[in-house]
Amino acid sequence: MKKIIWAIIIIAIITGVVFLFGKGGKDVYKNETIKIGAILPLTGDLAFLGEEIKKGIDIAVLEYKDKGVDINVIYEDDQSLSPIVAVNAANKLLNIDKINAGLTLLVEESRPIAPIFNKKEIPLLVLWDSNNFIQESGDYVFSNGFSTELAGESMADFAYNKLGMKTVAIIGHIDPWADIITKSFKNEFEVLGGRVVYNEQFNIDTKDYRTAILKIKQLNPDAVYFPMLPMNSVQFLTQAKQFDLKSVFLTGDSFISDVINKAGDASEGVYFTNIYTLNENRLFEKYKKFYNSNPVDITLVSFGYDGIIKVVGLGNKSSKKIKENLESLFGNERSANRVEKIFQVQKGIPVEVKNN
């Protein structure tokens, strides 16, 4: 009887070893799910941004699935950057869904939720932009985005050294992004030797800029730098054209395609720093294959696609491994700090300007 019992035990052990280290063990590894929480603007004014990024995420997830890596992305809507909604979404993802990592679109979305991710020791990756906040936000917050500070400095250098602008008027918004890019532009322009003759910021719900435009017109600056949020640039440029404000217009990456289209002729000739992707053609074809249509903006799609690849890597399946991978990618600054390119609207189409 004892021999029979021992025989059963040995068979059970051998079966377990085969299951763990043989074909069965591989299946268990493949089926281990990586849970990622994505907090994006999926409703409201910025929903079109979130939807394109979501599509990029979904393309990457399906590609990983073909390789045997199972990723479950749980989407949460922050209703176009509502801090309260974003915090509620983060708490749900971390405490109920038990995600391994998080994604969000903008630094401004990350501000209210960064402390929650740090406390839970779960990495959070910002997809679009980066600024000095990332370095101050804790060890678990990273960015694969473009530097706001460098965008302002780059445009200032371009305006002064390439366009020969010596005086500039600044008109923008009371907003964290606008504040950062305005200060960076102003400081760099003045360091180079330029002079700011006008500088005023307005609430984001302002629709009438005519008084400011008249003041700027009297000062007659070489250029006007207007870091405004979508879609306010439409009103500003339209009113500037109505009042025949003759100047070179400069702005940042909030000058999206919808603004250009709605501003029409008033947007012609505007220079702006803007995001881009290195793998546009390859990702464009993947998008068409998955969705049978053309993307609204392939760069937005790339944010989601690249974000998944940066987080998952070769198949990282724990928060610790994901954090280590992001640290190896982004270094001590925890940010890619990419530099935007400079474009100009020519016949209604953004054309890259060779800044060399």
Side-chain angles (χ1 to χ4, degrees), residues 277-342:
T277 175
L278 295 174
N279 300 311
E280 180 174 334
N281 294 333
R282 182 171 60 86
L283 188 56
F284 191 92
E285 292 305 315
K286 289 182 178 182
Y287 187 101
K288 288 179 65 175
K289 178 181 177 181
F290 278 99
Y291 298 108
N292 197 31
S293 64
N294 292 336
V296 175
D297 189 327
I298 195 62
T299 303
L300 295 176
V301 177
S302 75
F303 287 159
Y305 183 85
D306 293 342
I308 289 293
I309 293 173
K310 292 292 191 299
V311 166
V312 178
L314 298 176
N316 295 306
K317 290 179 167 62
S318 71
S319 298
K320 181 180 178 181
K321 289 292 184 182
I322 291 171
K323 180 174 181 286
E324 290 175 354
N325 185 55
L326 293 174
E327 287 173 337
S328 68
L329 288 172
F330 301 130
N332 294 333
E333 292 187 345
R334 302 193 310 283
S335 176
N337 278 328
R338 292 187 281 170
V339 181
E340 295 178 341
K341 294 182 179 180
I342 295 176

Side-chain angles (χ1 to χ4, degrees), residues 129-355:
D129 60 342
S130 177
N131 58 47
N132 291 338
F133 170 77
I134 296 297
Q135 284 81 58
E136 304 162 359
S137 60
D139 294 340
Y140 287 82
V141 181
F142 300 83
S143 173
N144 191 42
F146 294 87
S147 167
T148 303
E149 288 90 352
L150 292 177
E153 293 171 8
S154 176
M155 181 56 81
D157 178 75
F158 177 76
Y160 188 86
N161 289 315
K162 303 301 179 181
L163 298 180
M165 305 290 103
K166 305 306 178 187
T167 59
V168 66
I170 299 175
I171 178 170
H173 277 149
I174 300 171
D175 167 82
W177 167 81
D179 182 58
I180 292 169
I181 200 169
T182 295
K183 287 181 179 177
S184 297
F185 174 89
K186 179 178 181 294
N187 292 342
E188 182 67 14
F189 192 74
E190 290 176 335
V191 165
L192 290 170
R195 185 164 59 93
V196 176
V197 298
Y198 178 88
N199 187 5
E200 188 172 2
Q201 282 68 48
F202 294 83
N203 291 323
I204 58 175
D205 57 354
T206 300
K207 303 298 181 184
D208 188 348
Y209 301 98
R210 289 176 294 182
T211 301
I213 289 169
L214 288 173
K215 290 179 181 178
I216 294 171
K217 188 174 180 179
Q218 289 178 342
L219 293 167
N220 193 31
D222 296 328
V224 176
Y225 187 59
F226 64 104
M228 294 181 173
L229 302 184
M231 302 289 292
N232 303 63
S233 297
V234 176
Q235 284 86 9
F236 170 72
L237 287 174
T238 302
Q239 292 165 17
K241 184 176 178 65
Q242 290 171 348
F243 281 82
D244 196 31
L245 176 58
K246 302 291 187 183
S247 187
V248 175
F249 291 95
L250 321 165
T251 188
D253 62 11
S254 62
F255 203 63
I256 58 178
S257 57
D258 276 9
V259 172
I260 295 171
N261 294 334
K262 290 186 178 180
D265 291 343
S267 69
E268 192 66 20
V270 172
Y271 292 96
F272 61 106
T273 46
N274 202 22
I275 54 180
Y276 65 92
T277 175
L278 295 174
N279 300 311
E280 180 174 334
N281 294 333
R282 182 171 60 86
L283 188 56
F284 191 92
E285 292 305 315
K286 289 182 178 182
Y287 187 101
K288 288 179 65 175
K289 178 181 177 181
F290 278 99
Y291 298 108
N292 197 31
S293 64
N294 292 336
V296 175
D297 189 327
I298 195 62
T299 303
L300 295 176
V301 177
S302 75
F303 287 159
Y305 183 85
D306 293 342
I308 289 293
I309 293 173
K310 292 292 191 299
V311 166
V312 178
L314 298 176
N316 295 306
K317 290 179 167 62
S318 71
S319 298
K320 181 180 178 181
K321 289 292 184 182
I322 291 171
K323 180 174 181 286
E324 290 175 354
N325 185 55
L326 293 174
E327 287 173 337
S328 68
L329 288 172
F330 301 130
N332 294 333
E333 292 187 345
R334 302 193 310 283
S335 176
N337 278 328
R338 292 187 281 170
V339 181
E340 295 178 341
K341 294 182 179 180
I342 295 176
F343 294 78
Q344 185 187 32
V345 180
Q346 298 178 11
K347 297 181 180 180
I349 299 172
V351 177
E352 182 184 345
V353 177
K354 299 299 181 183
N355 187 16

